[in-house]
Amino acid sequence: VGAEDLVECVNDITGGQGADVTINVSGADGTVAESIAAAARNGVIVLGGAGTQLLDTSSTGRKNLTVKWAHGHSYESVELAIQSIATGRYPVELVTTHHFALAEAAYAVQSVAGEGAPGAIHVSIDPWA
C-alpha cells in the first residue's frame, strides 16, 4: 500500500464501486480520509485505530456511509500486557496461531470465529503473501 495509491487500487479491483467495508486500524495520518474515499456508496467504515484523526464528513460526497468505532482496551490493560511480555515468561511469538494471505482474509475471520481453520486463536493476514 505504501508504494501504491490505496483508493485507486480499491477502485480498480471493484470496478469503481468501492469497498463495501473498510477497516481502519493503522492510525496513520490520512487513513480515515482514505477509508471514506475507498468506501462504496452505501459502505461501512470501521475505525478500530484511527488515533486522533478527525472524521471529515465533507469528503463523503453523496455516499450513505455507516461509521462504527471499535474500542478494544484501556490504557491500563496495555500497560499490564507490556509488563507481562517484558518478563519473557510467555512465548509471544506463539500468540499468532495461523497466518493467511490477503486473499484468505474472509477465511481468516471465519477461523477466529471458530468456523474455519481449527485451533485459531489469533491470526495474522499478510497482504504480500
Side-chain angles (χ1 to χ4, degrees), residues 98 100 104-123:
H98 294 69
F100 296 95
E104 301 172 301
Y107 185 64
V109 172
Q110 290 171 341
S111 297
V112 173
E115 300 171 4
I121 296 170
H122 182 277
V123 303

Side-chain angles (χ1 to χ4, degrees), residues 83-115:
Q83 290 171 8
S84 295
I85 291 168
T87 68
R89 182 175 173 196
Y90 304 102
V92 178
E93 67 278 2
L94 300 178
V95 170
T96 298
T97 58
H98 294 69
H99 296 269
F100 296 95
L102 184 57
E104 301 172 301
Y107 185 64
V109 172
Q110 290 171 341
S111 297
V112 173
E115 300 171 4

Side-chain angles (χ1 to χ4, degrees), residues 7-52:
V7 177
E8 186 177 306
C9 287
V10 169
N11 283 328
D12 287 346
I13 292 168
T14 63
Q17 297 298 308
D20 292 331
V21 178
T22 65
I23 302 172
N24 182 329
V25 294
S26 76
D29 288 342
T31 56
V32 171
E34 285 180 327
S35 295
I36 292 170
R41 185 174 188 276
N42 293 304
V44 175
I45 299 172
V46 179
L47 300 176
T52 59

